[in-house]
Amino acid sequence: MLDVPQSATAGIVRYCEDLFRDLNFESARAWKAAEPGRKVIGYMPYYIPREIIHAAGALPLGILGGGDQLEVIHGDAYYQSYICRIPRSTIELGVTGRLDFVDGMLFPSICDVIRNLSGMWKLMFPGVGSRYVDLPQNFKDDVGGVFYQSELNEIRHWLAGITGRPISDSAIRASIVLFNESRRLVREVYALRVEQPWNVPASELYLLMRAGLVLPVEEHNQLVRDYMASVREQQRPIKDNSRVVVSGAFCEQPPLSLIKAIELSGCYIVDDDFMLINRWEKSDIAVDGDPVANLAYAFLHDSNSTPPKYEPDLARKGLYLVESVRKNQAEGVIFAMASFCDPALLDRPILQDILKQHGVPQIAFKFAENSGQMQPIREQAGTFSDSIKLWSGT
Ligand code: SF4
């Protein structure tokens, strides 16, 4: 940890790190074993409607590959070498039995690799319900909205088949309330980092957000509250760091050591796109009325921008990054993207061009979830931070 005193904060962060390092998902296994009939539904990045899984009485479990701890032995045999690592390490998690307690898997339409993985999962694990989730790329209510409501109702029906009981509208409304609270807390802790990045290191916030992918939302909400309360009681030393936005790691995750390397190089990360699912919708989802229609409306009209999500207005393409820089008083952008990640790498030149037009300094590098050598990253990010301090006039 970075400058973390032995405090309540350290205890919370250690707990989150234990969850992060546990590739056997013991906490989710314990949740399932606590009551007969409980089901666990895994999902891949970047977004799925967790509210419906929760309303079904199941635990949504984020699967983000094997990170830098898992040696991929079998997974490499299923994919060519020139693609990203997350599908291979996810296969490895599956074939080594680490996901043998998962009752269903959802694969959102983020890219062709995940689409292929959903088909492979069906073939490799025929006893597990698996479903590809088609997300709308048309944002008109009478086209994409109608389509997405129908997709959500199909997911609802699919989940009811797994749990053995129908999912009522009122159960979905109750879940929306809980996830609204989750998003509110996540926005609050992100805002706290913008205000005091020295008190909310990115490596800690990252672990806190990862915990949200394996814990029940009720528990995670309390954990975020406890973290903020504890952070507000302490004051860590303020450093003369540059404020940066990290962009591009919305699916395969960088090693934790990479996030720490960026921080240790002299950068405060004040915004990022790690695990966007925790803050996919920008404000509360409406609770009254048809809950499925409300989920669809929020996806179409109130969700964050990211390369895998189609931007129908060409004039707005990439502006979200400039807006993030302005809103979070950042001084530059670090593009950190998974090697061979098509959605990230195809958009990067467009995003770089827009940042250039707005005078925002930037650097770019690639990673794999198991990258080991951080010294070049640290040097590159450190030089970037120094150049911002010396020449950007901020
Ligand atoms: S890292 Fe990129 S290419 Fe790989 S599965 Fe994720 S979105 Fe697709």
Side-chain angles (χ1 to χ4, degrees):
M1 295 295 103
L2 303 171
D3 299 321
V4 183
Q6 289 306 304
S7 62
T9 309
I12 293 168
V13 172
R14 202 175 310 116
Y15 172 61
C16 294
E17 184 157 5
D18 288 347
L19 291 171
F20 163 71
R21 299 217 176 272
D22 177 16
L23 292 182
N24 215 30
F25 303 99
E26 294 299 345
S27 76
R29 287 175 188 272
W31 179 89
K32 181 172 175 173
E35 274 181 34
R38 280 187 166 178
K39 305 290 182 194
V40 175
I41 305 296
Y43 64 87
M44 296 292 293
Y46 60 130
Y47 160 88
I48 51 108
R50 291 183 295 180
E51 290 85 350
I52 299 186
I53 300 174
H54 181 271
L59 177 71
L61 177 70
I63 311 284
L64 283 89
D68 58 0
Q69 304 172 78
L70 186 70
E71 188 183 0
V72 173
I73 297 166
H74 312 280
D76 277 340
Y78 294 86
Y79 279 102
Q80 66 275 37
S81 54
Y82 46 89
I83 60 157
C84 55
R85 192 173 187 269
I86 185 172
R88 291 182 268 155
S89 62
T90 303
I91 291 270
E92 191 74 24
L93 289 174
V95 295
T96 52
R98 289 175 167 93
L99 299 175
D100 58 4
F101 67 105
V102 172
D103 302 283
M105 278 289 283
L106 289 170
F107 299 86
S109 52
I110 184 169
C111 70
D112 285 348
V113 171
I114 296 291
R115 180 189 292 272
N116 293 346
L117 185 60
S118 78
M120 287 170 64
W121 214 264
K122 275 196 169 92
L123 294 172
M124 294 176 69
F125 307 104
V128 177
S130 47
R131 196 185 153 78
Y132 184 69
V133 180
D134 253 321
L135 298 168
Q137 298 286 6
N138 176 303
F139 297 89
K140 293 179 182 155
D141 290 307
D142 58 346
V143 183
V146 170
F147 163 79
Y148 193 41
Q149 283 191 49
S150 137
E151 183 71 9
L152 288 170
N153 278 319
E154 280 186 29
I155 294 170
R156 181 179 183 170
H157 182 68
W158 175 81
L159 283 164
I162 291 177
T163 61
R165 56 172 196 255
I167 305 167
S168 67
D169 280 358
S170 59
I172 302 178
R173 281 190 204 102
S175 299
I176 290 176
V177 170
L178 268 171
F179 279 95
N180 277 345
E181 175 66 1
S182 165
R183 285 181 282 268
R184 228 174 284 143
L185 289 164
V186 170
R187 286 197 297 275
E188 195 181 330
V189 72
Y190 264 73
L192 184 60
R193 179 175 67 168
V194 170
E195 203 184 296
Q196 304 171 6
W198 53 92
N199 272 335
V200 186
S203 50
E204 286 188 9
L205 186 54
Y206 180 81
L207 291 169
L208 188 66
M209 292 300 104
R210 281 290 292 248
L213 272 65
V214 297
L215 292 176
V217 62
E218 300 86 342
E219 268 181 55
H220 188 247
N221 284 353
Q222 192 54 47
L223 196 65
V224 178
R225 278 187 211 105
D226 291 347
Y227 176 80
M228 283 193 284
S230 137
V231 157
R232 283 180 170 127
E233 274 180 13
Q234 66 188 49
Q235 190 56 245
R236 297 174 188 182
I238 301 176
K239 296 176 185 165
D240 184 29
N241 283 1
S242 301
R243 299 170 64 98
V244 301
V245 172
V246 172
S247 174
F250 45 79
C251 181
E252 181 172 320
Q253 296 295 288
L256 185 60
S257 55
L258 187 149
I259 297 169
K260 289 182 181 178
I262 293 175
E263 293 193 293
L264 288 168
S265 74
C267 295
Y268 284 135
I269 299 174
V270 290
D271 197 16
D272 59 65
D273 55 5
F274 310 135
M275 292 160 285
L276 274 176
I277 190 160
N278 285 325
R279 52 193 188 287
W280 180 250
E281 289 85 3
K282 292 191 262 191
S283 54
D284 283 3
I285 299 178
V287 176
D288 294 335
D290 180 346
V292 169
N294 292 343
L295 287 169
Y297 184 89
F299 184 95
L300 295 189
H301 303 294
D302 194 33
S303 57
N304 272 301
S305 297
T306 180
K309 186 179 142 193
Y310 179 62
E311 172 54 71
D313 180 358
L314 262 185
R316 286 207 52 77
K317 176 82 183 165
L319 278 183
Y320 70 89
L321 206 45
V322 178
E323 286 162 3
S324 167
V325 167
R326 302 284 180 251
K327 182 170 146 231
N328 299 302
Q329 301 123 51
E331 299 158 287
V333 170
I334 295 180
F335 289 102
M337 298 165 160
S339 288
F340 301 109
C341 176
D342 281 355
L345 292 165
L346 289 171
D347 262 24
R348 191 176 75 187
I350 303 171
L351 297 172
Q352 286 179 310
D353 195 40
I354 286 165
L355 291 178
K356 207 168 159 189
Q357 288 168 29
H358 288 81
V360 180
Q362 56 190 282
I363 55 165
F365 50 75
K366 290 185 276 184
F367 65 83
E369 60 180 5
N370 64 339
S371 294
Q373 175 55 272
M374 289 305 148
Q375 190 56 24
I377 302 282
R378 195 167 162 176
E379 285 168 6
Q380 201 179 342
T383 309
F384 182 56
S385 174
D386 288 350
S387 70
I388 287 174
K389 291 286 170 206
L390 286 170
W391 292 300
S392 72
T394 52

